[in-house]
């Protein structure tokens, strides 16, 4: 059976990673969470105390090694060999990730690594620019979206499950701010590839969405 590249892009908190993981498992493919890579860079920037300082951030890049490791809880991202998964899923790191992701040199640094990861195909990669920049030739491109209020509710739950005590209005503002930054930055702004299939999952259950996407995948590999 031929192996393909599945590119999943979309707004933050659309459930991209959930569906990407499920599809990768269904297909027997490798899953790559590119948001985790930007978050790992953001964490490094935070630790180095250079947030907001573009030149220092760029100077930090050659010192960073971003890899993935498989653990019982799934795939974890490592920063210079340290499993940093427990530190990268906070609102603070998410916001900083969105800021460092606007720097061209950071994008170039990570896009190169992402392209290498997809060389052998058989990969499901999610992010903001996978179908447009990283793999414009991907055989299957999905663009996930949902209403901002629905995404804020989902993010709220996720944060609560991690023991944080978020305020809904702040989470909604964060979702809207992040959408704005991700779609308005000069470098690879989030946009839908012309040949992407749009999936608005605001009113879909996870099962409905998965079976729809599995059909799209099956159609694609049998084409
Ligand atoms: O998907 P996420 O929330 O983990 O991503 C964190 C930030 O990284 C997000 O605000 C935008 C950025 N990002 C990006 O610019 N390009 C990608 N391919 C993935 C994430």
């Amino acid at each position: 059976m031929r192996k393909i590249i599945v590119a999943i892009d979309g707004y933050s908190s659309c459930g991209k990673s959930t569906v990407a993981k499920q599809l990768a498992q269904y297909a027997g493919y490798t899953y790559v969470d590119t948001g985790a890579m930007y978050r790992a860079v953001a964490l490094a920037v935070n630790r180095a105390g250079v947030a907001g300082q573009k030149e220092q951030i760029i100077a930090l890049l050659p010192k960073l090694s971003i890899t993935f490791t498989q653990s019982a809880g799934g795939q974890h991202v490592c920063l210079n060999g340290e499993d940093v998964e427990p530190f990268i899923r906070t609102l603070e790191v998410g916001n900083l990730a969105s800021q460092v992701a606007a720097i061209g040199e950071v994008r170039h640094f990570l896009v190169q690594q992402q392209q290498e990861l997809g060389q052998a195909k058989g990969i499901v990669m999610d992010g903001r620019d996978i179908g447009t920049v990283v793999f414009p030739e991907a055989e299957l491109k999905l663009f996930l979206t949902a209403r901002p209020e629905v995404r804020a509710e989902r993010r709220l739950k996720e944060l609560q499950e991690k023991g944080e005590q978020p305020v809904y209005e702040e989470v909604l503002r964060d979702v809207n701010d992040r959408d704005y930054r991700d779609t308005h930055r000069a470098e690879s702004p989030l946009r839908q590839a012309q040949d992407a299939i749009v999936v608005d999952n605001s009113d879909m259950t996870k099962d409905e969405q998965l079976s729809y996407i599995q059909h799209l995948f099956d159609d694609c590999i049998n084409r």
Side-chain angles (χ1 to χ4, degrees):
M1 184 129 1
R2 75 180 185 125
K3 282 195 171 176
I4 64 166
I5 293 177
V6 183
I8 303 184
D9 290 304
Y11 294 98
S12 64
S13 304
C14 266
K16 289 190 299 293
S17 62
T18 305
V19 81
K21 267 181 228 162
Q22 288 172 325
L23 183 63
Q25 195 179 20
Y26 172 75
Y29 282 15
T30 303
Y31 164 58
V32 178
D33 173 0
T34 64
M37 298 171 85
Y38 286 93
R39 285 171 183 267
V41 172
L43 183 70
V45 165
N46 202 11
R47 285 178 172 177
V50 293
Q53 301 170 54
K54 189 174 164 189
E55 294 314 315
Q56 281 86 337
I57 293 173
I58 295 168
L60 193 64
L61 295 176
K63 297 177 200 147
L64 304 184
S65 150
I66 315 269
T67 51
F68 287 98
T69 177
Q70 287 300 328
S71 80
Q75 192 186 61
H76 285 189
V77 69
C78 297
L79 173 64
N80 295 338
E82 174 195 355
D83 179 348
V84 290
E85 196 65 35
F87 313 117
I88 61 164
R89 303 288 169 191
T90 62
L91 275 182
E92 189 193 6
V93 174
N95 273 324
L96 191 53
S98 158
Q99 289 166 33
V100 301
I103 301 172
E105 286 82 352
V106 171
R107 302 205 70 81
H108 183 72
F109 174 72
L110 292 180
V111 166
Q112 257 184 340
Q113 298 178 32
Q114 291 155 7
Q115 287 172 335
E116 277 165 28
L117 290 170
Q119 251 171 11
K121 299 211 175 189
I123 200 156
V124 180
M125 193 173 277
D126 76 347
R128 303 294 190 289
D129 58 344
I130 312 305
T132 50
V133 175
V134 183
F135 296 119
E137 74 290 4
E139 290 84 351
L140 179 60
K141 298 181 186 177
L142 304 174
F143 190 87
L144 258 58
T145 177
R147 292 186 294 276
E149 295 74 17
V150 173
R151 290 188 278 132
E153 285 288 352
R154 291 177 186 160
R155 172 68 48 122
L156 192 79
K157 257 197 210 142
E158 235 175 65
L159 292 168
Q160 282 167 343
E161 279 162 15
K162 283 190 191 116
E164 293 190 33
Q165 291 169 335
V167 177
Y168 172 78
E169 286 71 22
E170 276 175 24
V171 177
L172 179 61
R173 194 174 53 230
D174 184 73
V175 164
N176 284 322
D177 285 354
R178 239 191 313 151
D179 284 358
Y180 186 86
R181 270 204 303 273
D182 290 347
T183 51
H184 285 77
R185 64 178 176 228
E187 286 288 339
S188 314
L190 169 65
R191 63 184 171 81
Q192 185 193 321
Q194 261 186 348
D195 49 349
I197 299 167
V198 178
V199 180
D200 182 337
N201 61 26
S202 302
D203 302 309
M204 278 185 192
T205 64
K206 279 187 183 164
D207 286 348
E208 283 166 348
Q209 172 175 244
L210 179 61
S211 86
Y212 175 55
I213 289 175
Q214 282 171 342
H215 280 299
L216 294 175
F217 174 81
D218 290 340
D219 279 354
C220 186
I221 54 166
N222 292 319
R223 212 177 286 149

